[in-house]
Amino acid sequence: TTLAPDAQGSDWVFLFKLFLLSSAGGATVKLGSVAVGIPEADSPSVAATLLLVALATTAATSAWALKRESGESKPVFDKDEMMASIKSFGIAGTISYILTELIFWAIALPGAYFGYHASTGEWLSLETDIAQIAGIAAAFVTGVRFLVPVRMGVALALTPFCEENIVRRFSDNADR
């Protein structure tokens, strides 16, 4: 069977299959860790785990579900269209995009590192369990991908500022 929407039924059937596959995968990992004898966390919380899975799934599928509900044929957020819009502003658009990305990553990477320390009480290091690092990386990538439309929107909003305060100033100085 395929998991693609509309291949064998409605979109809700697809979401149900996705939920079942995710649940089965989680159960397999859990049962496998019990069978192998991997020790439990100090205070596991099924409710917190389910909440995190639900939030990640909602974030990953919300734009798709909204698009399907409204009957639109194009995606709610089209990254290529947004990037073309940024590029259409020329140098100012490019500078605003670069500034937005630099600021985002300057906040996101240290934020993830210190956030991990705040939540666990330990620092990430080369001795940290590889499975734990993989889980952290997956959560981080999900969050970063979720914020792509926000980052591009900020870049578009920052474009007039860059035009006025960076591009014009340097072009005026070059003319002198």
Side-chain angles (χ1 to χ4, degrees), residues 42 113-124 132 136:
D42 292 329
Y113 185 72
F114 289 110
Y116 175 80
H117 175 68
S119 66
T120 64
E122 56 188 54
W123 293 102
L124 276 174
Q132 190 174 10
I136 294 164

Side-chain angles (χ1 to χ4, degrees), residues 81-99:
E81 185 179 307
M82 185 74 86
M83 187 57 79
S85 181
I86 291 171
K87 288 179 183 178
S88 72
F89 289 101
I91 294 172
T94 303
I95 291 171
S96 69
Y97 182 73
I98 290 169
L99 285 175

Side-chain angles (χ1 to χ4, degrees), residues 124-135:
L124 276 174
S125 69
L126 295 175
E127 289 82 33
T128 304
D129 182 37
I130 193 75
Q132 190 174 10
I133 290 175

Side-chain angles (χ1 to χ4, degrees), residues 1-142:
T1 66
T2 181
L3 275 179
D6 295 331
Q8 293 184 353
S10 73
D11 295 331
W12 294 110
V13 171
F14 165 70
L15 289 175
F16 183 69
K17 287 180 182 178
L18 182 64
F19 172 77
L20 287 178
L21 184 62
S22 299
S23 299
T28 303
V29 169
K30 179 62 181 167
L31 293 174
S33 67
V34 170
V36 173
I38 297 173
E40 289 285 330
D42 292 329
S43 59
S45 170
V46 173
T49 303
L50 290 175
L51 178 64
L52 288 174
V53 169
L55 288 174
T57 303
T58 302
T61 60
S62 62
W64 172 80
L66 289 173
K67 179 188 87 166
R68 291 303 205 178
E69 286 292 320
S70 66
E72 293 180 24
S73 60
K74 68 179 211 169
V76 174
F77 170 75
D78 186 358
K79 184 178 177 181
D80 294 332
E81 185 179 307
M82 185 74 86
M83 187 57 79
S85 181
I86 291 171
K87 288 179 183 178
S88 72
F89 289 101
I91 294 172
T94 303
I95 291 171
S96 69
Y97 182 73
I98 290 169
L99 285 175
T100 301
E101 289 297 306
L102 286 174
I103 291 168
F104 173 78
W105 289 107
I107 294 169
L109 291 174
Y113 185 72
F114 289 110
Y116 175 80
H117 175 68
S119 66
T120 64
E122 56 188 54
W123 293 102
L124 276 174
S125 69
L126 295 175
E127 289 82 33
T128 304
D129 182 37
I130 193 75
Q132 190 174 10
I133 290 175
I136 294 164
F140 181 73
V141 167
T142 300

